[in-house]
Amino acid sequence: MTIVKALLAEAPENVRAGVKGNHITLDIVGEDVHFWSPQLNFRIEPNEEVPEETTIAGLIGPRPNVWTLFMFVYFSVGIAGLFISTCGASRYLMGEFSYAIWALPLAGLFMLTAYQAGKFGERLGADQVELLKQFVRDTIRETEKGK
């Protein structure tokens, strides 16, 4: 792990590495950062089945504030659409006319729009994702050479 920490210290200027135990977080920083900038989280652990090998497992995706925003949008729009359309449907079943029944399809359309916005952001951050992945690949190669 000390070799990995030394190599992470040589990260490009627009990549910040944070190490806590066997967990490593890579962020884009500086002028290159934008709302859709990715974050790479991974951990390095000894392989339980083959002790001389190391296992690296991780996740790359948007930063936690972006995840939180999208989950809030999906949850709030979904719940509001469900409750409002349920009121509209109950009025419709009682023989009254109500536009509230259209809340569920509108909520679905709004969620689809949020999904498309997420896909757009994914394309905007694709180059930075590749930068982070390539940095990890290069670091792993350098670590293997040092053994």
Side-chain angles (χ1 to χ4, degrees):
M1 194 67 172
T2 55
I3 297 171
V4 173
K5 286 181 183 178
L7 290 169
L8 289 175
E10 299 172 9
E13 61 186 40
N14 62 340
V15 175
R16 180 183 62 208
V19 180
K20 297 221 191 248
N22 64 348
H23 185 90
I24 299 169
T25 302
L26 299 176
D27 279 312
I28 303 292
V29 294
E31 295 177 2
D32 296 333
V33 72
H34 53 77
F35 183 74
W36 300 105
S37 289
Q39 184 179 62
L40 174 60
N41 293 295
F42 64 99
R43 66 183 192 284
I44 301 173
E45 297 176 337
N47 190 334
E48 293 177 4
E49 296 171 4
V50 184
E52 57 273 356
E53 291 184 4
T54 302
T55 302
I56 299 174
L59 173 70
I60 190 164
R63 293 182 170 170
N65 59 343
V66 176
W67 280 112
T68 304
L69 172 68
F70 273 85
M71 286 299 99
F72 176 76
V73 167
Y74 285 133
F75 182 76
S76 60
V77 169
I79 293 296
L82 181 67
F83 284 130
I84 294 170
S85 64
T86 301
C87 287
S90 64
R91 290 183 133 205
Y92 179 76
L93 290 174
M94 291 189 308
E96 300 175 16
F97 179 76
S98 175
Y99 285 111
I101 201 165
W102 289 100
L104 191 60
L106 289 175
L109 183 64
F110 192 77
M111 288 177 164
L112 184 61
T113 303
Y115 175 78
Q116 289 299 325
K119 285 299 184 184
F120 174 74
E122 187 178 329
R123 286 190 298 275
L124 285 178
D127 292 338
Q128 292 177 343
V129 167
E130 284 304 314
L131 173 86
L132 293 174
K133 287 174 19 181
Q134 191 59 44
F135 175 66
V136 170
R137 288 184 196 116
D138 293 344
T139 303
I140 291 170
R141 277 192 216 106
E142 291 297 320
T143 304
E144 287 175 350
K145 287 179 188 176
K147 285 186 176 182

